[in-house]
Amino acid sequence: MPYPEMIVAPMRAELVRLGFQELRTSDQVEAVVDGEDRPLLLVVNSICGCAAGAMRPGVALALEHENRPEILTTVFAGQDMDATAKAREYIAGYPPSSPSVALFKDGELVYMMERHQIEGHSAYQIAADLGSAFDEHCA
């Protein structure tokens, strides 16, 4: 059962304030991801305090990097079920993981940061890892 919106809203707002387009339906996910050639970041947000609590600030820091994706999108696991399920179809080959961060280029998944790569890491470590991926795929 999803958490009440009053609990989730501040967690959603963290990414939206950074310029992320929140995708709440499977149709929205498909419309944005299908056929997009520009670098696209897809963040699977989560209510999880420990991992997502570091992931969101880590993503924010990574976006200060010189190279960064042009398209910023997010779905919220455990809240927007259809959108998250559709997003995970594009992340084929990886088990469902939230939070997580996927980077696409030319319509292909080129980088994936799973929960186990987020959990126990600081926002600065997460940002450094994402920055390296941005340098490789968004320059």
Side-chain angles (χ1 to χ4, degrees):
M1 179 170 169
Y3 284 88
E5 190 61 29
M6 64 183 266
I7 294 172
V8 177
M11 296 172 202
R12 290 182 187 276
E14 270 187 79
L15 294 175
V16 171
R17 274 194 305 271
L18 296 172
F20 279 79
Q21 179 182 0
E22 191 172 37
L23 308 174
R24 298 190 76 168
T25 69
S26 59
D27 288 342
Q28 288 175 331
V29 173
E30 191 172 335
V32 171
V33 178
D34 275 355
E36 181 58 66
D37 293 333
R38 295 173 293 173
L40 179 145
L41 194 66
L42 173 63
V43 173
V44 179
N45 202 349
S46 171
I47 194 112
C48 170
C50 53
M55 181 272 302
R56 289 185 297 267
V59 168
L61 288 168
L63 293 178
E64 295 176 8
H65 203 71
E66 179 181 355
N67 298 309
R68 56 177 270 180
E70 292 179 50
I71 311 296
L72 305 173
T73 63
T74 182
V75 296
F76 207 113
Q79 300 299 304
D80 301 322
M81 312 299 197
D82 291 338
T84 303
K86 187 63 166 179
R88 287 181 172 148
E89 289 178 17
Y90 293 94
I91 308 171
Y94 292 91
S97 176
S98 59
S100 60
V101 182
L103 179 63
F104 297 85
K105 184 177 181 182
D106 298 322
E108 300 292 325
L109 180 64
V110 294
Y111 175 81
M112 181 69 183
M113 178 181 278
E114 298 176 86
R115 179 188 176 100
H116 70 85
Q117 296 166 298
I118 296 169
E119 205 165 33
H121 293 86
S122 72
Y124 293 103
Q125 291 168 313
I126 293 164
D129 290 346
L130 289 172
S132 294
F134 295 171
D135 284 342
E136 183 176 346
H137 301 290
C138 302

